[in-house]
Structures are given as C-alpha cells and as structure tokens.
Amino acid sequence: MTKRHTTILLLHAASTLFMTGLIWFVQVVHYPLFAAVGPEEFAGYASAHSVRTAWVVVPVMLLEMGTAIWLVAAPPPGVRRSRAIAGLLLLTLIWFSTAFLQVPRHERLGGVGFDSETVTTLVATNWVRTGGWTLRSMLVLLLLSAVIARSTRRESS
C-alpha cells in the first residue's frame, strides 16, 4: 500500500471516528440540554450554537466526504470497493439528513426561540445521523482491519 493510500485511509478513519463521537455527544448530552436554556436567551443561544458547531464540523465533514469519494474512486489494496461505496452511501444519507432535517430545525430554533416540538423532532431525527455515523465507524474499522490483515499476511510471506 502506498503512503498516499495510507494517509487517505487514516484521514478517513479519523474524520469518521471523530464525527461518530461528536454526534453521540450531541445526541445524548447536548440536544437534550436545549430544554435547560431559558426562553429569553434561547434564540441567541441556538444561533450561536449553529455558528460555533459549523466551525467544528464543516471541515471534518468535508474531509470525510473527500476521502470517502477517494476510497470509492481508488480503493487501497485490501479495501473492497463495495464497502467503500456502502460507506459513501451512508455518508450521503447523513448529509441529506443534515441538510433537510437538522438544519431547518436549527434555523427555526435560532429564529423563533425555544419550541419543544422542534427540539423533540430535532432529537428524534438526529438518530438518522447517529446511526449512520455509528455504522460508518464499524465499516471504517472493518476497512482498517482488512488492510492490516493484508499487510500482516504480506509481511509473513
């Protein structure tokens, strides 16, 4: 496996695992705590949350998508293209969920303030992303294990 293959695969794994950890934190801790913010401060809080979160997640999500596309286009030795495609399809689902389910609800919360129905729907629909990234983490660990197993076999021959 070339150095470029190794770098791309490790960047992909790091970005996926980072996003998985982050989404679980958001799902279990952060979103449920929205209810604890006072109604007078909530719209400002929600707007600041969206801006600050974007600074953290956008670069990592772009890195993850770029490396996912690369893995489909030029899979490293030991990585099945079908698994790379499955990972890219899951990531596409996550991006669609973000764009069409979560972002509109964040915009609503930033505009009108706290609305329990919107927060409840946000938490419920966010399980799409939480599950998607969890499955992606399992898949990326499978990819890494396949590459390591292949490398180990080659070294022992």
Side-chain angles (χ1 to χ4, degrees):
M1 188 158 78
T2 68
K3 197 174 220 172
R4 184 180 343 163
H5 281 114
T6 303
T7 301
I8 295 295
L9 188 56
L10 289 175
L11 287 171
H12 184 70
S15 60
T16 297
L17 294 170
F18 174 87
M19 289 305 300
T20 302
L22 182 63
I23 202 67
W24 272 100
F25 173 80
V26 166
Q27 183 68 19
V28 174
V29 177
H30 191 65
Y31 281 170
L33 286 174
F34 276 8
V37 179
E40 299 82 30
E41 301 88 12
F42 191 83
Y45 172 84
S47 293
H49 164 269
S50 293
V51 170
R52 289 177 181 217
T53 298
W55 281 102
V56 174
V57 301
V58 169
V60 181
M61 287 178 72
L62 290 172
L63 176 63
E64 184 183 29
M65 181 59 83
T67 55
I69 292 168
W70 190 89
L71 288 172
V72 169
V79 171
R80 292 185 196 164
R81 180 172 267 122
S82 61
R83 290 182 179 163
I85 291 170
L88 183 57
L89 290 173
L90 279 170
L91 192 54
T92 302
L93 172 69
I94 290 165
W95 277 53
F96 273 98
S97 178
T98 301
F100 298 112
L101 296 175
Q102 285 73 50
V103 168
R105 282 160 182 85
H106 279 290
E107 288 173 349
R108 176 165 169 72
L109 293 170
V112 301
F114 184 79
D115 174 62
S116 62
E117 184 179 325
T118 302
V119 171
T120 299
T121 305
L122 177 64
V123 173
T125 61
N126 197 55
W127 281 110
V128 172
R129 298 191 302 175
T130 305
W133 264 308
T134 300
L135 290 172
R136 282 190 44 71
S137 282
M138 291 178 204
L139 189 57
V140 80
L141 291 173
L142 185 64
L143 296 179
L144 285 172
S145 69
V147 168
I148 291 167
R150 184 179 191 276
S151 175
T152 303
R153 283 192 305 272
R154 287 184 61 198
E155 287 175 8
S156 64
S157 317

